[in-house]
Amino acid sequence: MEKEDYDNASQALDDIIATRDSNLLEQVEQIAQNLHDTLEQFGSDSMLLQQTKHGLPDATERLEYVIQTTEEASNKTLSAAENIIALLETLESQATDDAQKEFINKAQSEVTEIMMAQSFQDLTGQVLNRVIMLVTSLEQSLMELINKSGIHIDDIPDPAESDEKRKAEEMRGIGPNVTKSSQQNVVNSQDDVDDLLGDLGI
Amino acid sequence: MQIDRDMNILVVDDFSTMRRIVKNLLKELGFSKFDEADDGSTAWPMIQSGKYDFIVSDWNMPEMTGIDLLRHVRANDKLKETPFLLITAEAKRSQILEAAEAGVDGYIVKPFTAATLNVKIQKIFERVEERKKAAGA
């Protein structure tokens, strides 16, 4: 092949690639524009934006509360079970007849059952941790998407909550106040409850 | 004051573990007659039978909440005097005041202790006694 032919062919190839690249670029730009328009249409208080900024972190915080609470409870149960086992062992070493020993052994195996049942915390904790990971990564992906569409996360307002809506929710019952945002205006102890009701004669 | 330990008590909570815990605590306090309901909506027909001398209820339940159950009880002429204790994780001041307004006799926030339950029950029945005396006088 002549050198000139080679140059022509090379140029033709570059042109083809450039055309294809610019088509691709156009398409990507189109997709980005569509996404931006769609998110824009939602408005900065849209459900998706709200859920990404507030709903998902809130869900994660609640799941972490579940793990923490079940862990504390399981640990308490395990400590108590261990103490009982120690007591039963002392009792066993002092037992004089077989009937007593059999009785103690039965009690020990029941305590073991209690201890074994606490393994639920490990199992459920692992499952919840996986869900937390998934929710967190979903949250990050959505954040990136929102960012790329030109909306700043700081521009998404806090959820607008009317007094009526808040009251309706409270009357349904909202469960334990485990997230930072839900811990406003909450009593801290039974004493607080008693003080509040004491004035009303209850 | 002597509380009637033979009274019929209805324990309402959607979590069976919590019903079990409350029943065990009440047993420790010397009570022996309990029934259970897993929601306000199942508790209400039971209460309407007029069997219960004392209702211990959770707030947050799927069908009918404890506060709605309380309102049903207070709105019924035959049942409205029934002592009603809420044991709940609901801890907003506005919720506690709402419960007071609806006519709750006692309010315990979870997690709670056996001692707290004992004190509240004593207090509730002292007041019931006072009400009876005042009504009789």
Side-chain angles (χ1 to χ4, degrees):
Chain A
M1 201 164 37
E2 293 290 321
K3 185 174 182 301
E4 199 176 322
D5 287 345
Y6 177 81
D7 284 346
N8 285 343
S10 177
Q11 184 60 48
L13 208 58
D14 281 349
D15 288 349
I16 291 169
I17 289 168
T19 313
R20 205 184 55 186
D21 276 357
S22 80
N23 278 343
L24 190 66
L25 202 65
E26 264 172 38
Q27 280 180 31
V28 170
E29 271 169 1
Q30 190 59 50
I31 290 169
Q33 187 59 45
N34 285 348
L35 179 68
H36 178 80
D37 291 347
T38 311
L39 287 170
E40 195 89 297
Q41 276 167 17
F42 284 160
S44 59
D45 59 350
S46 85
M47 191 71 127
L48 177 67
L49 300 185
Q50 288 290 339
Q51 283 171 341
T52 306
K53 189 178 179 185
H54 304 291
L56 293 180
D58 187 85
T60 308
E61 216 177 328
R62 281 168 197 276
L63 290 177
E64 278 162 355
Y65 170 81
V66 173
I67 294 176
Q68 191 195 327
T69 312
T70 53
E71 197 176 341
E72 278 169 17
S74 289
N75 283 330
K76 264 191 204 169
T77 311
L78 286 172
S79 305
E82 282 163 9
N83 292 341
I84 295 169
I85 286 174
L87 292 171
L88 288 172
E89 277 169 0
T90 311
L91 210 57
E92 197 180 13
S93 68
Q94 292 165 358
T96 45
D97 65 79
D98 287 347
Q100 274 181 349
K101 280 185 178 164
E102 198 190 326
F103 206 82
I104 292 164
N105 283 336
K106 269 189 188 163
Q108 277 169 332
S109 71
E110 294 293 337
V111 178
T112 308
E113 278 291 299
I114 292 172
M115 288 192 37
M116 292 309 294
Q118 300 313 305
S119 61
F120 85 93
Q121 210 284 323
D122 182 14
L123 300 172
T124 54
Q126 285 183 49
V127 173
L128 290 177
N129 274 326
R130 284 189 74 107
V131 178
I132 287 172
M133 271 168 58
L134 179 75
V135 172
T136 307
S137 99
L138 180 67
E139 184 191 328
Q140 280 165 357
S141 304
L142 284 169
M143 284 288 197
E144 277 171 31
L145 200 65
I146 289 165
N147 245 331
K148 278 177 188 152
S149 78
I151 293 173
H152 283 284
I153 210 72
D154 291 342
D155 295 339
I156 303 171
D158 290 338
E161 203 177 48
S162 66
D163 277 358
E164 278 157 42
K165 197 178 154 201
R166 180 185 53 77
K167 186 165 178 183
E169 252 188 31
E170 284 184 6
M171 288 310 106
R172 268 202 308 277
I174 51 181
N177 298 283
V178 301
T179 60
K180 275 186 211 118
S181 66
S182 71
Q183 270 159 6
Q184 290 162 5
N185 211 14
V186 166
V187 292
N188 292 314
S189 67
Q190 184 62 42
D191 285 345
D192 284 357
V193 180
D194 295 348
D195 285 348
L196 201 55
L197 291 181
D199 298 339
L200 302 166
I202 292 171
Chain B
M1 194 204 62
Q2 201 60 43
I3 297 174
D4 174 17
R5 306 279 157 176
D6 278 335
M7 69 168 81
N8 284 301
I9 304 174
L10 181 64
V11 179
V12 191
D13 200 307
D14 52 340
F15 278 86
S16 61
T17 39
M18 191 45 78
R19 292 200 300 273
R20 196 170 161 184
I21 290 168
V22 170
K23 266 169 51 184
N24 278 322
L25 291 174
L26 288 170
K27 259 187 216 161
E28 276 179 31
L29 298 175
F31 297 98
S32 57
K33 293 180 179 167
F34 323 100
D35 285 322
E36 292 178 35
D38 64 358
D39 193 89
S41 60
T42 49
W44 178 231
M46 293 169 79
I47 294 168
Q48 281 175 294
S49 72
K51 180 181 172 183
Y52 300 104
D53 310 301
F54 184 32
I55 299 162
V56 180
S57 176
D58 182 25
W59 181 311
N60 187 4
M61 294 178 287
E63 296 289 327
M64 187 198 284
T65 61
I67 188 99
D68 276 344
L69 184 65
L70 170 62
R71 286 181 179 134
H72 274 74
V73 170
R74 292 292 179 254
N76 184 300
D77 268 345
K78 244 174 44 192
L79 304 167
K80 66 181 177 193
E81 298 293 328
T82 316
F84 200 113
L85 172 65
L86 276 168
I87 301 182
T88 170
E90 304 297 327
K92 296 261 189 208
R93 286 170 193 280
S94 47
Q95 289 173 302
I96 298 164
L97 292 174
E98 193 73 31
E101 207 169 293
V104 80
D105 294 289
Y107 197 107
I108 296 176
V109 174
K110 294 174 187 171
F112 65 105
T113 64
T116 303
L117 181 64
N118 195 13
V119 169
K120 295 301 153 198
I121 290 177
Q122 289 285 344
K123 220 175 148 191
I124 287 171
F125 285 97
E126 271 169 27
R127 232 178 298 117
V128 167
E129 205 62 28
E130 279 166 22
R131 273 210 300 260
K132 273 186 193 161
K133 273 187 197 158

